[in-house]
Amino acid sequence: MKAEFIVEPELQFGAGKHIDIKFGLMNYGPFDFENPRAPQKIKLGIVGTNETIEGVVKWLEICRNGIRAKLSKRPNLFPCFPGYGDNLPLKAEFIIANQLLRSIPQNKFELLCNRPKSDQITQEIGRLFLEEMEYLKQKEN
């Protein structure tokens, strides 16, 4: 067996290149940051149970303001997240409107998950999500 070292390619960001996506975005911004057509506001549709939707919305709010780096002997593994919005490296802002939140009742999952595990159950769960995503897609067009 012959071992070879493969050099990681540099990724292109807005104002420079870096091999790590986290540091590239923090230091150089997204690739299209100077493009006037780059999205400034991104509408998000969220599908899940009431509990999971609430969790995602809270998590996105935390991320908006940035997340401090994790203390570690290996700081490159856990850098800070700078946040998103105006005057931040990730300039686009997420728009979360109530009409783009689609809740699947918890009891639908419970009914499916109480049945014997099978590929059909997995497909039915996937179909629950796909139906709600299709609804959001139609609503936004």
Side-chain angles (χ1 to χ4, degrees):
M1 178 170 105
K2 181 180 176 185
E4 290 185 44
F5 179 77
I6 300 173
V7 177
E8 283 190 71
E10 288 189 319
L11 304 171
Q12 180 68 52
F13 296 93
K17 295 180 180 184
H18 201 285
I19 62 169
D20 187 294
I21 192 168
K22 295 175 276 189
F23 289 99
L25 283 172
M26 266 191 306
N27 296 325
Y28 305 118
F31 181 73
D32 62 356
F33 83 105
E34 289 184 323
N35 185 334
R37 296 185 332 186
Q40 298 299 308
K41 298 191 182 302
I42 301 170
K43 289 183 187 178
L44 291 181
I46 304 173
V47 175
T49 63
N50 285 335
E51 182 182 358
T52 59
I53 290 171
E54 183 180 323
V56 168
V57 171
K58 284 181 181 177
W59 179 74
L60 288 169
E61 278 300 314
I62 291 168
C63 292
R64 173 190 310 260
N65 300 317
I67 299 173
R68 293 169 52 178
K70 182 178 176 181
L71 294 176
S72 171
K73 292 179 182 178
R74 298 183 180 137
N76 287 346
L77 288 179
F78 307 105
C80 71
F81 176 75
Y84 59 88
D86 290 338
N87 302 318
L88 294 169
L90 302 175
K91 297 181 184 319
E93 187 164 343
F94 294 134
I95 306 300
I96 304 167
N98 284 338
Q99 64 268 27
L100 293 177
L101 305 178
R102 294 295 294 176
S103 180
I104 300 171
Q106 181 68 34
N107 66 349
K108 285 190 175 185
F109 289 109
E110 290 169 0
L111 286 172
L112 289 168
C113 291
N114 286 332
R115 292 176 30 201
K117 308 284 185 265
S118 70
D119 288 345
Q120 181 185 1
I121 298 298
T122 304
Q123 290 173 359
E124 287 182 43
I125 291 171
R127 223 177 341 270
L128 288 175
F129 282 92
L130 290 173
E131 287 170 2
E132 297 303 328
M133 286 186 267
E134 185 62 34
Y135 175 87
L136 291 176
K137 177 182 164 193
Q138 296 302 321
K139 189 171 181 100
E140 282 301 298
N141 287 337

